[in-house]
């Protein structure tokens, strides 16, 4: 058997304990036995030793007289990444607080052997990869903010990633871990912390009476319904039976041979001698120097987070270095082992925008944006007044929306509101809502019906019209350098102008101006500065909200030549980095993007989930608007994007192909062509630098195709009124994450959380956040609470309280059911 078994995988009152071992609040008392996570063999081949105390298994204690054996609930968890760690937190807390003894067998399977982290968050991954979340916004266990979480572990076990890093720094002196809450950690750090949290939680779970825990360094390749139980088959040939199966398998990749375009690239590469890498992860395995040789010309399809990982791995990861200039910015020092040139290309021709400094972290409850127009009530009213009625599977009749014409106009209005609230102050923006409200109400009351020639920007333009009316007064006030300006223009205008100067020139210049105006003194000319420290113009006319400028910052006139476009990208990135440095509270563009596309994600989920959009609109949402979301609000950290900019400036990364670039197969080899800029680059290696969407039919792992073939799951379809449908790729799931079988019945023994739910639901991924009642933990609880209710009848009890012996475990489970 290829399993990693906990040495405390046998339950009972061990080591002379009088009963259930409590969680030490201060770490004092007898040490908790540590897990032995050694794998002797398995699908992954060579054993991988995991940290932990090496203890020999202890024999189970004998049941007390008068108690009988009860068959354990057999739980299998497939995937041992972050979500599994969160599950172990809930199990540990509930088992520690329970006043009854369960009968439970837990088996955790992971093909990578990185229990707690999984392959994606592996602690062995390159140090060039960053986590896309600041250290203070990552946690590992439920806290007081999580509604209906139940018992919580001791606070010392509920640390954030920042707290873990600080402790690691204090213990080791390793400067890599000396982080502040708003710093961006390396991804391997998250993996190390996840592993430690997993080990701490599983010590508690494995020590609980009545519980047996087994860790298997093995891949589950098939799942079959035997009638009473589910049978798991692993790559090493082992078979196990389970009563309940939780799949938290995380990201995977698609089989390139299943798609016409990627299959053609594979065939062409094989025939021409070119190299095609259809998936980039894990970087160290997929992109060694033997695959991407030093001095080669490498094409990277994609300019998002995965592409950034690829680029840094091929440069900094091969010995290149970045030096900070005294004037700001970075210079790249090549090692000679990197590709000669990396041609980065995508549909937009732009890298993801830099994530801003997160000033909200100091007080999230006060600073995170709460919707004014884009709220759940608005979505419901739009459905009621203008939804397209369609029968959507088990969800029944849904009033579906068109995102572009009904939801997007409200989203743009919300962005315009937050843009001006940041630029001129909340008081000005709230006052501007008064003339905007009738336009908004008419739009919602009509169900979002607009004239055929109307633009989705129609609502945002009503907010712009208020700004246009105020702008002459703002300009007059800023140019009025005489005494008594306050009396002439009024306090409200002075406050708005003061906020404008704070945003543009900084608080020191703004405070001086406000003090002079308030005292009736002549003021300095703010226009003399030309621009402020963050590249903001002092001319109010340059601050009108524009969706076009936001999402397409490089105009067509700058896309007509390779060199001209590359120069425009560099200029934009420099400005974008200044704005990111200003942060998501002071910069209008960053505040609007962060506050709407990130803070209001739950509202977007309300609009999209479970067939909330028409089939065609759903397709457009995933193909267009999710890309906008990723570019505006899900970008990389500023320090990461500074490295990318340095590589572009050094000529190592080439962005000259511009928007709409494509790969052509020519007689000379693979060539990346830019249709707007005219660039054409012959490449030696092509790397797919994008995360693959989940699809159970084409997943390169055998488990999901096998489950689909057996009818245990089916793909979700968003039906259209004409009888057609859109299949986004995810599985057909209930709101409780149980799959619908091929015959339409609900399989309650199975639960799938994470990528398989993408499609029927929106944005199900992410690391757990502290003090947020975070959706990731709520999803875990959705499964866990039902599981815990099912487990409670399965406990060891006096014979008088049980009608008959339930017997030992069914064939395929481990050994015997043990009493507490």
């Amino acid at each position: 058997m290829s399993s990693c078994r906990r040495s405390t995988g046998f339950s009972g009152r061990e080591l002379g304990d009088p009963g259930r071992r409590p969680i030490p609040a201060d770490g004092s008392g007898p040490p908790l036995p540590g897990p032995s996570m050694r794998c002797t063999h398995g699908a992954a081949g060579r054993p991988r030793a995991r940290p932990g105390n090496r203890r020999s298994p202890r024999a189970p204690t004998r049941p007390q007289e008068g108690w009988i054996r009860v068959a354990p609930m057999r739980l299998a968890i497939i995937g041992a990444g972050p979500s599994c760690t969160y599950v172990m937190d809930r199990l540990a807390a509930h088992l520690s607080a329970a006043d009854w003894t369960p009968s439970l067998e837990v088996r955790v399977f992971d093909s990578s052997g990185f229990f707690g982290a999984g392959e994606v968050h592996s602690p062995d991954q390159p140090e060039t990869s960053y986590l896309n979340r600041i250290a203070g916004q990552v946690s590992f266990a439920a806290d007081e903010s999580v509604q209906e979480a139940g018992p919580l572990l001791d606070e010392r076990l509920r640390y954030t990633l920042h707290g873990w890093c600080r402790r690691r720094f204090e213990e080791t002196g390793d400067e890599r871990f000396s982080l502040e809450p708003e710093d961006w950690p390396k991804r391997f750090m998250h993996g190390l912390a996840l592993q430690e949290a997993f080990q701490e939680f599983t010590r508690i779970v494995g020590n609980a009476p009545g519980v047996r825990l087994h860790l298997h360094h093995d891949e589950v390749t098939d799942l079959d319904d035997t009638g009473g139980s589910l049978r798991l088959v692993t790559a090493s040939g082992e078979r196990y039976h389970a009563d309940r199966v939780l799949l938290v398998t995380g990201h995977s990749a698609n089989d390139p041979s299943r798609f016409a375009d990627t299959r053609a690239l594979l065939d062409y590469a094989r025939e021409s001698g070119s190299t095609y890498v259809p998936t980039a992860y894990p970087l160290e395995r997929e992109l060694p120097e033997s695959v991407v040789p030093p001095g080669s010309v490498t094409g990277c399809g994609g300019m998002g987070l995965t592409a950034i990982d690829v680029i840094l791995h091929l440069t900094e990861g091969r010995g290149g270095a970045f030096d900070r200039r005294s004037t700001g910015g970075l210079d790249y020092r090549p090692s000679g082992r990197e590709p000669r040139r990396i041609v980065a290309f995508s549909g937009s021709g732009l890298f993801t925008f830099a994530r801003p400094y997160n000033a909200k972290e100091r007080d999230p409850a006060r600073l995170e944006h709460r919707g004014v127009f884009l709220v759940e009530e608005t979505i419901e009213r739009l459905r009621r007044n203008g939804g397209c009625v369609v029968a959507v599977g088990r969800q029944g009749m849904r009033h579906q929306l068109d995102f572009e014409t009904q939801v997007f106009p409200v989203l743009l209005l919300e962005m315009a509101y937050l843009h001006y609230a940041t630029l001129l102050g909340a008081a000005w923006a709230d006052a501007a809502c008064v003339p905007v409200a009738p336009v908004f109400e008419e739009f919602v009351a009509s169900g979002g019906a607009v004239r055929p020639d109307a633009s989705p920007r129609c609502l945002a333009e009503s907010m712009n019209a208020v700004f246009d009316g105020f702008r002459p007064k703002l300009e007059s006030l800023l140019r009025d350098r005489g005494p008594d300006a306050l009396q002439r223009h009024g306090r409200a205008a002075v406050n708005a102008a003061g906020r404008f100067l704070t945003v543009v020139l900084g608080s020191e210049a703004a405070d001086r101006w406000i003090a002079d105006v308030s005292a009736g003194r002549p003021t300095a000319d703010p226009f003399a500065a030309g621009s402020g420290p963050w590249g903001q113009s002092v001319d109010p006319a340059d601050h009108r909200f524009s969706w076009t400028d936001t999402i397409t910052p490089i105009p067509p006139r700058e896309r007509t030549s390779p060199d001209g476009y590359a120069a425009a990208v560099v200029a934009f990135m420099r400005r974008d980095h200044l704005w990111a440095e200003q942060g998501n509270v002071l910069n209008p563009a960053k505040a609007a993007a962060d506050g709407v596309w990130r803070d209001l994600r739950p509202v977007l989920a309300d609009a999209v989930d479970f067939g909330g959009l028409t089939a065609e609109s759903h397709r457009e949402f995933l193909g267009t608007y999710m890309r906008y979301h990723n570019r505006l609000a899900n970008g990389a950290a500023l320090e990461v994007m500074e490295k990318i900019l340095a590589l572009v400036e050094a000529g190592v990364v080439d962005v000259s192909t511009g928007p709409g670039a494509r790969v052509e197969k020519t007689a000379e080899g693979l060539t990346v062509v830019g249709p707007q800029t005219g660039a054409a680059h012959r490449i030696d290696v092509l790397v797919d630098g994008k995360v693959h969407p989940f699809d159970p039919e084409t997943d390169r792992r055998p488990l999901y195709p096998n489950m689909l073939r057996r009818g245990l799951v089916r793909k979700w379809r968003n039906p259209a009124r004409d009888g057609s449908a859109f299949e986004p790729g995810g599985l057909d799931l209930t709101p409780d994450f149980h799959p619908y079988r091929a015959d339409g019945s609900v399989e309650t023994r199975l639960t799938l959380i994470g990528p398989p739910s993408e499609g029927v639901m929106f944005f199900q991924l992410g690391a757990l956040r502290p003090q947020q009642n975070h959706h990731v933990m709520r999803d875990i609880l959705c499964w866990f609470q039902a599981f815990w209710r099912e487990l409670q009848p399965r406990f060891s009890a006096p014979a008088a309280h049980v009608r008959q012996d339930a017997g030992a475990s069914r064939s395929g489970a481990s050994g015997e059911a043990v009493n507490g």
Side-chain angles (χ1 to χ4, degrees):
M1 180 183 297
S2 74
S3 69
C4 294
R5 175 177 290 186
R6 280 289 319 268
S7 62
T8 53
F10 302 96
S11 57
R13 291 173 180 154
E14 304 175 76
L15 298 178
D17 288 353
R20 178 174 53 83
R21 186 190 301 272
I23 311 169
D26 57 0
S28 61
L32 296 174
S36 174
M37 298 185 183
R38 276 184 298 202
C39 291
T40 56
H41 59 278
R46 189 166 58 88
R48 183 190 300 277
R50 299 260 60 83
N53 297 329
R54 305 295 196 251
R55 296 173 184 260
S56 301
R58 292 188 293 264
T61 55
R62 296 177 60 82
Q64 293 182 358
E65 186 176 353
W67 290 59
I68 66 171
R69 301 180 187 277
V70 177
M73 168 75 82
R74 296 167 301 176
L75 169 65
I77 302 175
I78 304 176
S83 292
C84 184
T85 298
Y86 310 150
V87 167
M88 289 300 164
D89 155 65
R90 293 296 77 216
L91 273 173
H94 280 72
L95 289 168
S96 297
D99 57 2
W100 49 277
T101 300
S103 184
L104 173 64
E105 178 183 86
V106 182
R107 295 184 181 274
V108 181
F109 299 84
D110 192 87
S111 60
S112 73
F114 293 112
F115 290 97
E119 185 175 74
V120 172
H121 297 270
S122 155
D124 284 0
Q125 66 188 284
E127 292 194 24
T128 54
S129 296
Y130 284 76
L131 192 66
N132 198 33
R133 183 84 68 79
I134 60 174
Q137 286 188 346
V138 179
S139 58
F140 307 95
D143 58 30
E144 295 83 357
S145 72
V146 180
Q147 296 175 7
E148 300 181 356
L152 302 178
L153 292 176
D154 187 81
E155 190 172 2
R156 72 177 180 84
L157 298 176
R158 292 187 279 120
Y159 41 79
T160 65
L161 180 55
H162 167 252
W164 181 90
C165 285
R166 292 303 303 178
R167 174 161 55 84
R168 186 69 172 251
F169 170 65
E170 292 166 1
E171 292 171 351
T172 66
D174 190 333
E175 289 289 341
R176 295 176 301 171
F177 298 95
S178 180
L179 301 179
E180 297 300 323
E182 61 272 13
D183 288 338
W184 300 84
K186 301 289 183 70
R187 202 177 300 152
F188 83 91
M189 298 176 182
H190 187 218
L192 288 171
L194 281 165
Q195 281 194 318
E196 184 171 315
F198 182 86
Q199 290 172 11
E200 289 171 328
F201 301 159
T202 52
R203 284 190 185 99
I204 298 167
V205 172
N207 255 0
V211 177
R212 302 170 69 184
L213 175 63
H214 311 268
L215 306 183
H216 299 267
H217 181 183
D218 207 349
E219 179 183 9
V220 176
T221 58
D222 201 359
L223 194 59
D224 189 18
D225 185 357
T226 64
S229 65
L230 295 168
R231 181 174 57 197
L232 290 76
V233 180
T234 71
S236 62
E238 299 291 343
R239 285 168 168 75
Y240 304 92
H241 286 254
D243 302 303
R244 296 293 180 270
V245 177
L246 174 65
L247 291 98
V248 282
T249 51
H251 284 295
S252 182
N254 296 321
D255 179 355
S257 67
R258 299 294 302 276
F259 299 91
D261 55 347
T262 51
R263 185 171 60 249
L265 284 170
L266 284 171
D267 293 341
Y268 177 84
R270 189 163 42 246
E271 296 166 1
S272 66
S274 302
T275 301
Y276 172 51
V277 183
T279 181
Y281 294 118
L283 299 169
E284 62 276 21
R285 185 180 72 200
E286 300 293 340
L287 301 175
E289 292 188 19
S290 60
V291 173
V292 185
S296 62
V297 178
T298 299
C300 181
M303 298 178 76
L305 298 176
T306 300
I308 289 167
D309 278 353
V310 168
I311 290 168
L312 292 180
H313 178 63
L314 295 177
T315 53
E316 186 180 24
R318 292 192 177 179
F322 296 92
D323 299 317
R324 177 71 60 180
R325 304 187 199 114
S326 59
T327 56
L330 299 174
D331 288 318
Y332 179 66
R333 276 189 291 116
S335 67
R337 294 169 49 211
E338 60 274 279
R340 176 164 55 89
R341 188 164 73 253
I342 301 172
V343 180
F345 63 97
S346 70
S348 69
L350 293 169
F351 283 108
T352 180
F353 299 172
R355 285 277 289 277
Y357 166 73
N358 190 7
K360 297 176 184 178
E361 180 63 16
R362 63 177 181 261
D363 191 354
R366 181 175 64 88
L367 295 174
E368 290 195 350
H369 182 56
R370 305 293 183 264
V372 175
F373 301 100
L374 186 63
V375 295
E376 281 87 350
E377 181 188 356
T378 298
I379 301 300
E380 177 56 34
R381 291 176 62 196
L382 286 168
R383 287 197 196 286
R384 188 168 59 247
N385 297 333
C388 177
V389 181
V390 177
V392 184
R394 292 294 186 92
Q395 283 79 51
M397 304 306 292
R398 289 281 274 159
H399 288 69
Q400 294 185 319
L401 297 175
D402 181 275
F403 190 85
E404 182 170 6
T405 62
Q406 294 175 292
V407 181
F408 189 50
V410 181
L411 183 149
L412 290 184
L413 174 59
E414 192 75 35
M415 287 188 72
Y417 166 85
L418 192 47
H419 172 93
Y420 289 122
T422 307
L423 180 70
L424 300 173
W428 186 94
D430 290 343
C433 290
V434 175
V436 170
V439 181
F440 170 73
E441 284 298 324
E442 180 183 7
F443 179 87
V444 176
S446 67
V450 294
R451 300 188 314 273
D453 61 340
S455 163
R457 300 166 177 79
C458 58
L459 294 181
E461 284 303 311
S462 67
M463 184 68 75
N464 277 341
V466 180
F467 175 71
D468 292 341
F470 175 71
R471 195 182 73 210
K473 187 171 185 177
L474 175 61
E475 292 171 346
S476 174
L477 172 55
L478 293 174
R479 295 183 186 279
D480 187 348
R481 295 186 293 279
D484 303 322
L486 177 60
Q487 286 71 26
R488 285 191 294 278
H489 299 276
R491 174 56 67 182
V494 167
N495 288 343
R499 174 65 182 188
F500 176 84
L501 293 176
T502 299
V503 168
V504 172
L505 299 179
S507 58
E508 185 177 337
D511 290 345
R512 284 198 306 268
W513 184 87
I514 292 173
D516 289 341
V517 170
S518 300
R521 296 190 295 265
T523 61
D525 180 9
F527 290 91
S531 64
W534 299 288
Q536 303 267 24
S537 167
V538 297
D539 186 349
D542 295 330
H543 292 269
R544 193 177 195 269
F545 173 75
S546 169
W547 170 248
T548 299
D549 292 345
T550 297
I551 201 63
T552 313
I554 299 178
R557 66 178 182 274
E558 296 180 343
R559 306 177 201 162
T560 58
S561 71
D563 291 344
Y565 183 77
V569 169
V570 168
F572 165 71
M573 291 181 72
R574 288 172 179 168
R575 184 185 71 198
D576 182 59
H577 295 179
L578 288 174
W579 290 6
E581 184 180 351
Q582 191 175 14
N584 59 4
V585 169
L586 273 178
N587 183 272
K590 294 296 184 181
D594 189 79
V596 175
W597 291 91
R598 288 189 70 83
D599 293 349
L600 298 186
R601 271 184 194 152
V603 184
L604 295 178
D606 189 55
V608 175
D609 286 356
F610 295 99
L613 301 179
T614 66
E616 189 54 40
S617 182
H618 195 181
R619 187 193 309 274
E620 179 71 10
F621 176 81
L622 294 179
T624 299
Y625 293 97
M626 272 302 294
R627 294 181 182 179
Y628 293 161
H629 164 275
N630 293 338
R631 198 183 316 161
L632 289 171
N634 206 35
L638 175 57
E639 62 185 285
V640 175
M641 294 312 299
E642 283 185 314
K643 293 180 178 181
I644 298 299
L645 175 57
L647 290 166
V648 174
E649 291 176 322
V652 177
V653 171
D654 189 309
V655 295
S656 65
T657 53
R662 62 181 181 269
V663 177
E664 295 183 353
K665 299 183 287 291
T666 67
E668 292 76 26
L670 293 172
T671 302
V672 183
V673 176
Q676 296 186 36
T677 67
H681 300 286
R682 162 80 170 85
I683 58 175
D684 306 306
V685 182
L686 175 61
V687 179
D688 186 345
K690 299 183 291 294
V691 170
H692 295 186
F694 176 82
D695 190 320
E697 284 186 285
T698 61
D699 197 283
R700 67 177 180 178
R701 299 171 296 194
L703 176 60
Y704 288 107
N706 284 336
M707 291 173 64
L708 195 65
R709 175 176 54 82
R710 293 185 181 279
L712 285 173
V713 297
R714 69 183 185 187
K715 295 179 74 172
W716 184 71
R717 304 172 78 248
N718 190 349
R721 296 181 76 172
D722 63 3
S724 63
F726 169 55
E727 290 188 354
L731 297 177
D732 194 359
L733 303 176
T734 70
D736 296 330
F737 300 97
H738 298 308
Y740 288 99
R741 298 176 64 122
D743 62 7
S745 62
V746 178
E747 180 51 82
T748 57
R749 295 171 298 175
L750 278 175
T751 307
L752 301 99
I753 296 176
S757 66
E758 291 278 339
V760 69
M761 298 179 224
F762 162 71
F763 209 86
Q764 289 298 296
L765 305 175
L768 183 63
R769 281 189 64 176
Q771 302 303 320
Q772 283 289 310
N773 189 29
H774 199 244
H775 73 88
V776 168
M777 183 56 77
R778 293 202 309 272
D779 291 349
I780 295 294
L781 286 171
C782 187
W783 164 80
F784 180 81
Q785 289 168 345
F787 172 78
W788 191 250
R789 286 192 298 269
E790 290 181 302
L791 180 62
Q792 290 186 38
R794 297 215 184 201
F795 58 90
S796 301
H801 294 170
V802 180
R803 291 183 179 179
Q804 62 182 11
D805 192 333
S809 303
R810 295 188 184 96
S811 173
S814 175
E816 59 184 316
V818 183
N819 301 309

